[in-house]
Amino acid sequence: MKAVVQRVSEARVEVAGEVVGRCGPGLLVLVCAMRGDGEANAEALATRIAKLRIFRDDAGRMNRSVHDTGGEALVVSQFTLAADTTSGNRPGFSAAAGPDDGERLYLHFVEALRAAGVPVETGRFGADMAVHLVNDGPVTIPMER
């Protein structure tokens, strides 16, 4: 699985003008299941993200996790993270898991992040979404598992 993790002051996702998920201080996680991924990949990535120390401690260093800070997460599926741009001008997405596996693994990732103690809201899988965020820092971390 691939993810882009952004430390945010706030974030929300809308579908057709309706807010379907939001979070306050915490993480916006854009996530993509790749062909060949399984539940173990989703669980491992969720565990790593829950423990990722990208929040400031009292000394101003990035030394605290979202769990440590009591933060929240907004998780949005984004198959375009699988883009292959090695040739031509149009990205290819054949490395992304198919829709059924992608949705199943996305939901499994969300539940694994919740099981790690992080309050999670989500976007809507497969929908055309508008994602709004205030990136704190900015801090943006790409991850794979």
Side-chain angles (χ1 to χ4, degrees):
M1 292 190 82
K2 290 187 175 187
V4 172
V5 180
Q6 297 180 74
R7 187 177 74 190
V8 297
S9 301
E10 62 182 286
R12 74 179 187 280
V13 62
E14 299 175 357
V15 175
E18 172 193 354
V19 175
V20 297
R22 67 170 19 130
C23 75
L27 301 173
L28 171 64
V29 181
L30 306 173
V31 67
C32 176
M34 306 296 287
R35 288 200 184 279
D37 282 346
E39 286 83 2
N41 300 92
E43 292 164 11
L45 185 60
T47 299
R48 286 187 65 211
I49 290 172
K51 294 179 179 179
L52 187 65
R53 298 184 328 177
I54 60 172
F55 292 87
R56 293 178 191 94
D57 63 15
D58 293 338
R61 294 183 160 191
M62 290 197 301
N63 202 27
R64 300 178 74 204
S65 70
V66 67
H67 189 267
D68 296 335
T69 64
E72 306 168 307
L74 175 59
V75 179
V76 177
S77 64
Q78 186 162 357
F79 81 94
T80 60
L81 294 178
D84 177 0
T85 59
T86 56
S87 65
N89 296 317
R90 183 187 310 219
F93 302 103
S94 61
D100 291 342
D101 282 341
E103 183 173 21
R104 178 179 56 81
L105 292 170
Y106 165 71
L107 295 173
H108 194 78
F109 171 84
V110 167
E111 289 309 314
L113 196 55
R114 285 179 177 142
V118 180
V120 177
E121 291 205 15
T122 66
R124 189 171 296 154
F125 186 89
D128 187 14
M129 295 176 276
V131 180
H132 305 265
L133 68 133
V134 177
N135 194 317
D136 178 21
V139 175
T140 302
I141 310 285
M143 298 181 73
E144 273 188 69
R145 196 66 184 173

